[in-house]
Amino acid sequence: MVSRGLFGWSPPHVQPLTPVSETSEPPESPSPYAADLALGGDGAPPPEDDAQPPLDDADDEPDPPPAAVPFKRLFACADRLDWALMAAGSLAAAAHGVALVVYLHLFGRAINSLHGRHTHQLFDDINRHALYFLYIAIGVFFAGWIEVSCWILTGERQTAVIRSKYVQVLLNQDMSFFDTYGNNGDIVSQVLSDVLLIQSALSEKVGNYIHNMATFFGGLVIGLANCWQIALLTLATGPFIVAAGGISNIFLHRLAENIQDAYGEAASIAEQAILYIRTLYSFTNETLAKYSYATSLQATLRYGILISLVQGLGLGFTYGLAICSCALQLWVGKFLVSHGRANGGEVVVALFAIILSGLGLNQAATNFYSFEQGRIAAYRLYEMISRSTSTVNQDGRTLSSVQGNIEFRNVYFSYLSRPEIPILSGFYLTVPARKTVALVGRNGSGKSSIIPLMERFYDPTLGEVLLDGENIKNLKLEWLRSQIGLVTQEPALLSLSIRENIAYGRSATADQIEEAAKTAHAHTFISSLENGYETQVGRAGLSLTEEQKIKLSIARAVLSNPSILLLDEVTGALDFEAEKAVQEALDVLMLGRSTIIIARRLSLIRNADYIAVMEEGQLVEMGIHEELLNLDGLYAELLRCEEAAKLPKRTPIRNYKEPSSFQIERDSSASHSFQESSSPKMSKSPSLQKTHGFLAFRNSDANHNSHESPNIQSPPSEQMAEARLPMVASDRAPSIKRQDSFEMKLPDLPKIDIPLHRQSSNTSDPESPISPLLSSDPKNERSHSKTFSRPLDIFDSFHAEESKKQQTNAPSFWRLAELSLAEYFYALLGSAGAACFGSFNPLLAYTISLIVVAYYRIGVRDVHDEVNKYCSFVVGMGIITVLANFLQHFYFGIMGEKMTERVRRMMFSAILRNEVGWFDDEENSADILSMRLANDATFVRAAFSNRLSIFIQDTSAIFVALLLGMLLEWRVALVALATLPILVISAVAQKMWLSGFSRGIQEMHRKASLVLEDAVRNIYTVVAFCAGNKIMELYKLQLGNILTKSFVHGMGIGFAFGFSQFLLFACNALLLWYTAVAVKDGHLSLVTAVKEYIVFSFATFALVEPFGLAPYILKRRKSLTSVFEIIDRVPKIDPDDASGLKPPNVYGSIEFRNVDFCYPTRPETTVLSNFSLRVNGGQTVAVVGVSGSGKSTIVSLIERFYDPTAGQVLLDGRDLKLFNLRWLRSHMGLVPQDPVIFSTTVRENIIYARHNATESEMKEAARIANAHHFISSLPHGYDTHVGMRGVDLTPGQKQRIAIARVVLKNAPILLLDEASSAIESESSRVVQEALDTLIMGNKTTILIAHRAAMMKHVDNIVVLNGGRIVEQGTHDSLVQMNGLYVKLMQPHFTKGFRQRRLI
């Protein structure tokens, strides 16, 4: 099986272009691209995870490796200039790689020249070597510059060709391709990430590989040339060192997998808690969730500590063996020196040349992973590029003049992506020339497929579409589309200027564009913009209102001067004034043109020349408005339904057209065009019907229709927010109908003490086992005064929160230190190890210098004794190194793991302290928060304990090196110290190069791809206006600009990198020269000079290495900031405020007094306006109203998920804000519309309401909820696992478990939210009986329902209309009134309505 990430996410290389639309294909659906999909992924979604034993066996079988191209094919798009650049880059890389070993060779000669020379002769000799070092430095400067700039430039050039070819092929695909693979821009973002992998593989990684291989071969040659005996001995000991590291890596790899699995359970608990936050809050189970999460983190902690242990021992033995190996070589060296086979310099050079060679090979090997990724990515892209383009014949004839007679003759049609679902079945329609025909019908009747057939995005399966008697298949495609003007409800804007958006691929003069804009009533608003027609719009520019977008869309159609006009419910999402303005523009456009209107609001098409009524893909009625009304058929019924749903427009808080920072910027401007609603594959943004600002019928033709796909999930509610439509209040919550990601265990665990070293306020919950985690600032923002803020205040707080977000700085070092104070003892032990290991670097260099001095018999009586003594000292250092590394990595590891665990607990507790409105923000969705819990907490550890470890190691190394230097000769030590900052800058530059030098250009590519993503999202409009070539031109132009910038960028980075390398060698040349000067001036003896120079030349190279970590720390600051943003946030509704009231008795009377409310994420839409309602204690009140009227909002306000914008909600005469929040929620029982079932046993799902409930109480609750019978019939009864990897329950069974939960809670106030409206009829009857039993108790009940059956035991019925009460009374009195209530309760309407509700 493919390895999954923490949250079930597959790495991007696993599945190439698999279908990406949210309504994924049913497994049995044949795919037209089955053969292609077989290459890398399966088009069907994976089977359900219900108990399937064979899966476990399959897990053991290794997957075949993903398909990849041969390495040389990566360069398939290189031209002669690219090959020249690559040749120059390769030569420069090789020269750069060899430079270090050549330097080492000269270093050996410089040491050798110190022996037995006169001072002046010695000075000249050393000066000459210093000059050689300077020449190497200059050579390295040019080599580094040429290497980096050549590889950057050729990488950019080659990938630009790949990008162009891919885009060209993509824009020429058939529409069925986009149906299958989704048209939401993912295809573009995938190519962007794939091309970056290829670019990395064929540019910087190749250069890096050649550079390191040159070091490897150069090191071998220099080592063998200087002293082959020592070189071979070093090579012989190499495998032992590699084995020590390799064995520890095997263990580390296994432990890393274990820690991933161990965190999986904790991640599951966190994700479910956040996903089902309303249920968690309503049952006040925050403490349980925190406790379960904290307990499941213990396994992660154990594995983390084991990793630290293995890492400490592994690194200890690797370094220890390496140091002991050095001792062996130096000991053998004394025999070679004494027998005259080598001198001291050659022994040292041979030893370190081989070590450098090994390091080069190791570094070179790190590039293979990138090569592999690049080859796999190239396979995916080349496969797509070689794919045949559109199968539609582009040739054909043109008509000399177009009259505009359109005829659909016996048309049968189904989408290629789901051929088993018929859309049109024997459809006939005639549109006379220059007449307007409006198509109406229920959702799923097939009306939306008429436009794509007319535009020839698809061809009919059978039958023909004729234009002026000619089959459109015989007409030239581009000419046909140029004759058709298209205006959709969601106009497709590209991230370009307004002028280019109106021209949309056509060449037009400025005057023609302005004239078109005037005709479309758009010129006035465009002229009022600062940059007029040059204003950038779309995702990268100004956000326009719906009305302005539609006017641009009309201007675009006017400019094309079409003979035929296709309108898709253009004014559906506009308010009355905007609709009027747009309608005037459309009336001008429709004059003298054959027009087909797809209508969902029948009131707009009464004046059409003909109205055609469709049902199940066939024409059932046709005529003018009055004729069809007299017929009293389907049209009349649809009209009655619409009248019933008509409601007054909601009052927005402020003028809608006013440009402001609140205008919700869409995920993509016009992210879904009209054909999406017609294609089942594209039902992600269905056509929305809205009557005077009110959403009546929600889903597209393809959704929730028995003839099409009953399995399709409704689209997510974010799209409604994007379209700025009011929606069902409950839909504002994150959708709960979703497979549980992980199993959630809710065990009866013993209380554990989890100390948190953070100031604990006395407001924390005394019952909490993790009490300190619950604490928060008691000085919260709530005011208990009776003066209520007006709606304007929301905007103030909104701005305040935005500005607060911008001001948050990364946490200070001391803040991080406070988090780990509890582990100070581990920190001390770790610091001792780090300091000890750090100091060994200069000490080892000093000992080697003593051995070299002994080789030359300078001031030494017995060479053998001296060398033996110092080699023993080196062996001792090797043994202590094992211990020092163990202390450093093990104890800092424990400290880091405990810190990570503590930060995760703090984050999770802080998350569960926030009000529900915070979770409505897209940035705080369950997925994102779960990922932040998993990843960001580890960055806190990386930023503190890992960095502290390295900081102490380096500081001790610098201190000991300087101390030695000062003791030997302070002047040379000061010169060495002065070069240190320069060396640090050099090391940082090198690290940035190693981490990838193409990053700066990536952002430019991302911006360039915006136009492309918009084009793919709106591919139907792009194709309809034949704008593909224009998009291609624009993209190539942007690639050209990027290429120019990347040349400058490459030169700049190359120069900086070359210069940093120059400094490294130049500093050593300076040090050598100054040492010679000091000897000449008599400040320094020869022995001291050798020692001093060796200590500093060794030490400086090693000292600067860790400073290269600076870019990593800076990069992670953002993650650190996000962690503390969550932890420090003060919630607007604070559950930890212990000062709230907890009265002993609850009478249960609830009152809404002049309540105004709008959701925090959509402050411009008022949901409740001056709403007042009183429910007496023990009363049962039903709230009725069409979707979006604010029914579910009432429940959310009573549960205090939100606070009203103005007015009060009272319980027993007191404002809800005065009560303790957890006490308040513990006295309310909520049965949500979509019942939440946690991924655990049935028993734990029921006792979620009360954990100390007895067996008999739990079963009694199940009996009352009519659930005991079906639970007993499950495989393991109450211990049956449900949800993910368990038994899947029907909606009715879930509902009954949710009711049993509320029965067990036995709260005095019941809130039932549309509890049985989404259930099949048989289950509904059983659930109804359970609800009747529940309501009969003497409890205050607020019931939100759509069924007349629910009204039997109700004391009062309230009918809501646009956030206000319009009717009130008993069932009988409301029936006599014959108002909105009667229309809502009509059986045929209720049934039709329920199908279209957003469930």
Side-chain angles (χ1 to χ4, degrees), residues 156-173:
E156 200 56 56
R157 279 174 52 83
Q158 290 178 60
T159 49
V161 177
I162 296 173
R163 283 184 166 100
S164 299
K165 286 184 175 178
Y166 179 90
V167 171
Q168 190 78 61
V169 170
L170 186 65
L171 292 175
N172 286 330
Q173 292 299 315

Side-chain angles (χ1 to χ4, degrees), residues 556-759:
R556 191 186 290 160
V558 170
L559 189 66
S560 65
N561 191 22
S563 310
I564 297 159
L565 199 56
L566 305 176
L567 307 177
D568 179 46
E569 186 55 64
V570 177
T571 57
L574 301 180
D575 58 35
F576 180 70
E577 285 180 31
E579 185 181 300
K580 191 174 160 192
V582 169
Q583 199 59 54
E584 285 173 13
L586 284 174
D587 290 342
V588 175
L589 183 59
M590 286 157 63
L591 282 174
R593 291 185 170 97
S594 306
T595 307
I596 296 178
I597 303 175
I598 307 294
R600 290 167 188 81
R601 288 207 290 166
L602 310 187
S603 55
L604 296 177
I605 48 127
R606 295 184 179 188
N607 300 329
D609 296 317
Y610 300 101
I611 296 170
V613 187
M614 293 178 67
E615 179 76 346
E616 295 181 17
Q618 295 180 327
L619 186 67
V620 289
E621 298 169 16
M622 188 158 175
I624 58 172
H625 174 71
E626 288 75 15
E627 289 172 0
L628 295 176
L629 272 187
N630 296 337
L631 197 62
D632 196 27
L634 180 58
Y635 178 77
E637 185 187 331
L638 289 170
L639 199 62
R640 280 197 294 274
C641 291
E642 185 176 293
E643 291 299 323
K646 253 188 190 171
L647 295 174
K649 173 94 178 75
R650 286 209 184 137
T651 324
I653 286 175
R654 55 178 187 79
N655 186 352
Y656 194 58
K657 295 176 195 173
E658 189 182 313
S660 110
S661 58
F662 291 104
Q663 227 154 26
I664 297 169
E665 186 177 340
R666 300 195 167 194
D667 177 41
S668 89
S669 47
S671 56
H672 313 279
S673 50
F674 68 93
Q675 285 83 0
E676 294 182 71
S677 52
S678 67
S679 156
K681 207 66 187 95
M682 291 171 280
S683 52
K684 294 166 49 161
S685 176
S687 311
L688 300 167
Q689 165 140 355
K690 190 168 163 248
T691 313
H692 297 295
F694 167 75
L695 171 72
F697 294 87
R698 171 64 174 80
N699 286 334
S700 71
D701 293 4
N703 271 12
H704 291 286
N705 183 285
S706 54
H707 299 291
E708 300 203 4
S709 176
N711 301 326
I712 298 174
Q713 291 284 316
S714 351
S717 55
E718 287 91 80
Q719 283 147 3
M720 305 191 59
E722 287 169 6
R724 299 201 185 93
L725 293 171
M727 60 176 165
V728 189
S730 60
D731 296 331
R732 294 180 177 94
S735 168
I736 290 173
K737 260 196 172 178
R738 165 176 163 177
Q739 272 284 356
D740 304 323
S741 304
F742 292 90
E743 305 181 12
M744 180 169 184
K745 300 259 193 330
L746 300 172
D748 288 328
L749 295 160
K751 291 191 178 183
I752 55 167
D753 179 37
I754 299 176
L756 184 81
H757 295 269
R758 174 179 151 188
Q759 194 173 359

Side-chain angles (χ1 to χ4, degrees), residues 974-1047:
L974 285 179
V975 172
L977 183 64
T979 63
L980 199 61
I982 300 170
L983 294 172
V984 167
I985 292 167
S986 159
V988 170
Q990 185 167 3
K991 264 283 188 252
M992 290 172 87
W993 172 67
L994 287 172
S995 65
F997 46 54
S998 64
R999 296 248 166 96
I1001 307 286
Q1002 287 179 21
E1003 184 61 20
M1004 289 157 65
H1005 275 299
R1006 196 191 62 74
K1007 286 178 180 166
S1009 71
L1010 278 181
V1011 172
L1012 206 53
E1013 278 185 44
D1014 288 342
V1016 172
R1017 286 173 197 274
N1018 307 305
I1019 190 70
Y1020 304 95
T1021 315
V1022 170
V1023 171
F1025 284 93
C1026 308
N1029 290 338
K1030 174 69 176 174
I1031 302 286
M1032 195 63 227
E1033 261 175 54
L1034 283 166
Y1035 191 60
K1036 279 187 171 169
L1037 187 71
Q1038 284 178 318
L1039 284 181
N1041 293 340
I1042 290 173
L1043 213 52
T1044 311
K1045 284 183 183 169
S1046 73
F1047 175 74

